[in-house]
Amino acid sequence: MIHESRSEDDTHRIAAALAASLQPGAVLLLSGDLGAGKTAFVRGLAEGLKIDPADVTSPTFTLVHEYRHGRLPLVHVDLYRLEQVDLDELGMDSELAERGVLAIEWAERLTRLPHGALVVELMVTGEDLRTITIAPPRS
Ligand SMILES: Nc1ncnc2c1ncn2[C@@H]1O[C@H](COP(=O)(O)OP(=O)(O)OP(=O)(O)O)[C@@H](O)[C@H]1O
Ligand SMILES: [Mg+2]
């Protein structure tokens, strides 16, 4: 699936629409350059999962954020500061992730991909333009 986003709000809407269709245990691998809009996409996912924005804390230095009060819980992981990592070593609440949606920024850092994951690739195509491709990982 390919979407053209013309603004951060567009990206929120695209992510929120995807969120509505996700089942428990969904895993999204977010890829794209610095500032491509990965975090913006996760914010849209949160909106789509009816997570109270007041629950969404700022990322600062934490690798894992867990939001529990949506249609499904959301686990947001950002691996930017790591080189290579195994998902099992992150210390996230894996039981929560299995019941909800796991969204991973800089998923390229993972040594192996979780089963059944979808890749969300954000390409910068202009100042406010992004091409967002949602597809199974290329094997
Ligand atoms: N169409 C768009 N979709 C998403 N963000 C956009 C868009 N157009 C402009 N932007 C801007 O691009 C920036 C995206 O920032 P964001 O933190 O989401 O990127 P990121 O991919 O998470 O970066 P990082 O790799 O640093 O975590 C924001 O400043 C946002 O306002
Ligand atoms: Mg980010």
Side-chain angles (χ1 to χ4, degrees), residues 33-40 42-43 59 76-78 80 105-106:
D33 292 340
L34 279 172
K38 300 178 292 297
T39 300
V42 174
R43 218 170 288 125
H76 176 199
V77 173
D78 189 335
Y80 180 63
E105 286 190 53
W106 292 98

Side-chain angles (χ1 to χ4, degrees), residues 27-84:
V27 180
L28 300 176
L29 308 173
L30 293 146
S31 104
D33 292 340
L34 279 172
K38 300 178 292 297
T39 300
F41 194 93
V42 174
R43 218 170 288 125
L45 286 175
E47 284 173 22
L49 294 170
K50 312 291 181 213
I51 288 163
D52 185 345
D55 285 352
V56 180
T57 54
S58 107
T60 347
F61 287 106
T62 325
L63 293 174
V64 183
H65 294 268
E66 293 163 350
Y67 309 116
R68 292 168 187 273
H69 300 296
R71 177 179 76 80
L72 298 172
L74 173 64
V75 179
H76 176 199
V77 173
D78 189 335
L79 303 178
Y80 180 63
R81 281 172 299 276
L82 302 181
E83 286 192 356
Q84 293 268 283

Side-chain angles (χ1 to χ4, degrees), residues 53-133:
D55 285 352
V56 180
T57 54
S58 107
T60 347
F61 287 106
T62 325
L63 293 174
V64 183
H65 294 268
E66 293 163 350
Y67 309 116
R68 292 168 187 273
H69 300 296
R71 177 179 76 80
L72 298 172
L74 173 64
V75 179
H76 176 199
V77 173
D78 189 335
L79 303 178
Y80 180 63
R81 281 172 299 276
L82 302 181
E83 286 192 356
Q84 293 268 283
V85 67
D86 188 302
L87 209 48
D88 294 336
E89 291 166 4
L90 280 176
M92 66 170 178
D93 183 341
S94 51
E95 184 270 340
L96 189 73
E98 279 162 28
R99 283 195 285 117
V101 175
L102 174 59
I104 305 173
E105 286 190 53
W106 292 98
E108 295 89 340
R109 313 290 207 237
L110 289 175
T111 49
R112 60 193 165 89
L113 299 184
H115 183 72
L118 281 177
V119 174
V120 177
E121 188 176 4
L122 294 108
M123 271 179 41
V124 180
T125 48
E127 191 176 348
D128 293 326
L129 298 179
R130 306 290 187 269
T131 300
I132 303 176
T133 307

